[in-house]
Amino acid sequence: MPKKYYELTPDERLASLNLDEQAVQAWQDNQSATNAQIVENYISDFRVPMGVLKDIIVADRHVTVPMATEEPSVIAAANHGAKLLNQGGGVAVSLPERTALIGQLLFSGVAYDELAAFVARQQAAFFTVAQEAKPSIYRRGGGLLSVTARAVSATSVSVDFTIDTRDAMGANIVNTILEAEQALFADFQAQFVGAILSNYATAQCVTVTGRVPIASIGGRTVAKRLVQLNQFGHQDVYRATTENKGLFNGIGAVTLATGNDWRAVEAAGHAFASQNGRYQSLTTWTIAGDFLEGRLTMPISVGTVGGAISAMPQAQRALAIVAPQTADELRGIILAVGLAQNLAALKAIADGGIQKGHMKMHYRALALQVGARDDEIATLVTQLQAAEQVDAAVATNLLREMRK
């Protein structure tokens, strides 16, 4: 009996793709026995460049932060923003008393009052079941914190379980507890829809703040323009979308580098940006005396142990650079990088335009695109910077002239 596709080895899957021998060898050169166990139908690894934000002060601690991204200029911008924030004393972090994830048992066609009364009566049972379902999280000081019923519509109710997952991101912990709790709702089984964690981790909302001397960013005129740009992000969805994308350039790069779920972090951030009924910038910048002050608040669910983090050596190596003592510390560091990224982007727009800082990095990528060797890239980039117009054809011609 032939193997099913998921039962094939990575090399057998590559053989089925009708690739030439050179392509197959290139895929094989990037295979990892460890990563082959993480995803289904594995053929090879997709590598993303990783660099570091060399120094950012977060909660009075100097931190070096790894960033995984394919986009030119992101890491350079993060370093620039961090340098500015460091001049104001660095980034302060404010955390809730206890961070937690939320899991949902979803019911449809049910009266809210009836289900809410049941939830109120069963509180002791919920806590007993949670501890029996996941005793390991209780040994680490976590566990179920609360259970509440919440009306979603006239006939739909979410029973929300708030669970402290400690230093794990916690999706599997929450889902395991939810599935165990479902047995207590036998009288509502006909109305039961599903059990799943929520990535909208509002019980993990973190605030980071920082200040920059106005003189450091080019003076009061630049500072005022930067604040006005940020105000556009609170008034105009087109500007807000781009501003938050730039913010997530930093947040996503650190989240990815540390083996965390950048998709969940971004989904929560975008939901939080829409909490007032319209999509807005996640950051707020104001002028206070001789300082520009910034604030970023959003939910962020990340961990330092468990799941892909513990399975992927590269994630463990990246975390070793940051050396966070807890997942809460990592949350603050990641959002601090986001604030630095946002500051650098706004400053670039307010002080001469975004392209001035971006293009050198983009020219390096263009040089690679047209086939420049390592020893040719610096010279080609210098020539591209001097050119009136730049595109792939111009870069190709310049490279051809260099080689004559």
Side-chain angles (χ1 to χ4, degrees), residues 136-185:
S136 60
I137 194 60
Y138 280 84
R139 288 193 294 270
R140 297 197 294 273
L144 182 64
L145 302 181
S146 68
V147 185
T148 57
R150 178 170 52 88
V152 175
S153 72
T155 59
S156 299
V157 178
S158 174
V159 179
D160 297 339
F161 290 74
T162 304
I163 301 167
D164 181 353
T165 61
R166 305 308 291 166
D167 291 326
M169 183 273 174
N172 291 333
I173 294 169
V174 171
N175 289 333
T176 297
I177 291 175
L178 289 178
E179 290 179 6
E181 299 284 5
Q182 183 186 337
L184 296 176
F185 290 83

Side-chain angles (χ1 to χ4, degrees), residues 11 14 46 63 103 190 212 235 238 301 340 364-365 391:
D11 287 346
L14 285 171
F46 180 85
V63 189
V212 184
Q235 299 161 347
Y238 290 90
S301 181
R364 285 166 57 181
D391 57 21

Side-chain angles (χ1 to χ4, degrees), residues 359-404:
M359 291 316 296
K360 183 175 181 180
M361 303 298 294
H362 283 283
Y363 289 160
R364 285 166 57 181
L366 181 59
L368 289 170
Q369 177 187 324
V370 299
R373 298 186 301 267
D374 289 349
D375 60 343
E376 297 172 323
I377 291 174
T379 302
L380 181 55
V381 167
T382 299
Q383 294 189 21
L384 289 170
Q385 288 177 303
E388 290 186 8
Q389 291 184 323
V390 174
D391 57 21
V394 170
T396 299
N397 289 333
L398 287 172
L399 182 61
R400 187 181 298 119
E401 289 297 317
M402 282 170 50
R403 289 175 172 175
K404 286 184 177 179

